[in-house]
Amino acid sequence: MEERFNKENFQYIWSLLLNDNGLEKEKIKFVKSRMISPYFELNQKNINDVISEKNKKGYTIETNPFFRFDDVYSLLLNPDAETEDKNLKESLLNITLHLLGNFDLYAGQTKKDFYCKEIVRDMESGAVGEKVRNNLLLLNMKEKLIIAEVFLEYDEGRNQIKCLKKIVKKFFSESIVYDNKYSDKNIVIYLGHKKDIKTRKIMGIINELFIPLGLKPKYFYEYHFGVLGIGETLVIGNMAVY
């Protein structure tokens, strides 16, 4: 999996304010990093070391306050502005970043929410290919987040076939993804849905993100292929040929 989807790339100030980190919020001091990175909100070289050192009296966390809050801090931290009390600026930065981090949490934004939104943003920018970017154009944000959520599960180590079955079922409730027990080259997917433009776009995304390498998908849309002994699949006019 490409590095840009590694969840360690998505570190925000609120991630250190979560209860599951075991850090006392009042011990955290946010400061402006001397080396600003345009890609991260927390610029600590090894944030995991900070989290693991839980016996410290305090934690100084280097941040890029401009990452999401440029409108707030471009004035407060403007180096061209008149020289003001340095300690006052540092205190204001720390206090306001604590407030903004807590606002994120109170707004119900979980780690998963942020990761999924970052994945959607990357997909929309073409970071995972033009096919995915173009196919996303017909989907609404809720549908994009569904794709991102399952993709995140795959990125975190969930079995790819299980992720494939989950994403197909999310969009097509009558679908069946048949285990490839008898073929190491093909996988059969019944959607139970007519082959319209949006369906083709969704399956185009699934092809790019969830079909395992080396497997060729065979799709059946509105009609299931006939199966001996199952009468519902053997109705003339409602049966696909496999």
Side-chain angles (χ1 to χ4, degrees), residues 16-30 50-51 53-61 94 98 102:
L16 291 180
L17 302 177
L18 290 168
N19 292 330
D20 60 4
N21 284 330
L23 299 181
E24 298 178 49
K25 295 181 182 181
E26 53 273 12
K27 288 186 178 181
I28 296 173
K29 180 181 180 181
F30 293 114
V50 176
I51 294 175
E53 296 174 4
K54 296 178 182 177
N55 295 322
K56 275 191 171 183
K57 293 182 179 180
Y59 307 90
T60 298
I61 307 299
N94 181 46
H98 271 275
N102 282 313

Side-chain angles (χ1 to χ4, degrees), residues 37 41 46 58 76 79 82 92 130 159 184 211 215 218 242:
S37 167
E41 190 160 273
N46 191 345
L76 177 63
E82 292 184 10
L92 287 174
E130 288 301 307
N159 179 274
D184 57 0
I211 298 294
L215 282 183
K218 172 68 175 178
Y242 182 21

Side-chain angles (χ1 to χ4, degrees), residues 130-143:
E130 288 301 307
K131 288 183 180 179
V132 172
R133 186 182 70 82
N134 292 333
N135 285 328
L136 278 176
L137 295 176
L138 279 184
L139 276 60
N140 58 41
M141 180 53 71
K142 181 179 179 181
E143 292 165 331

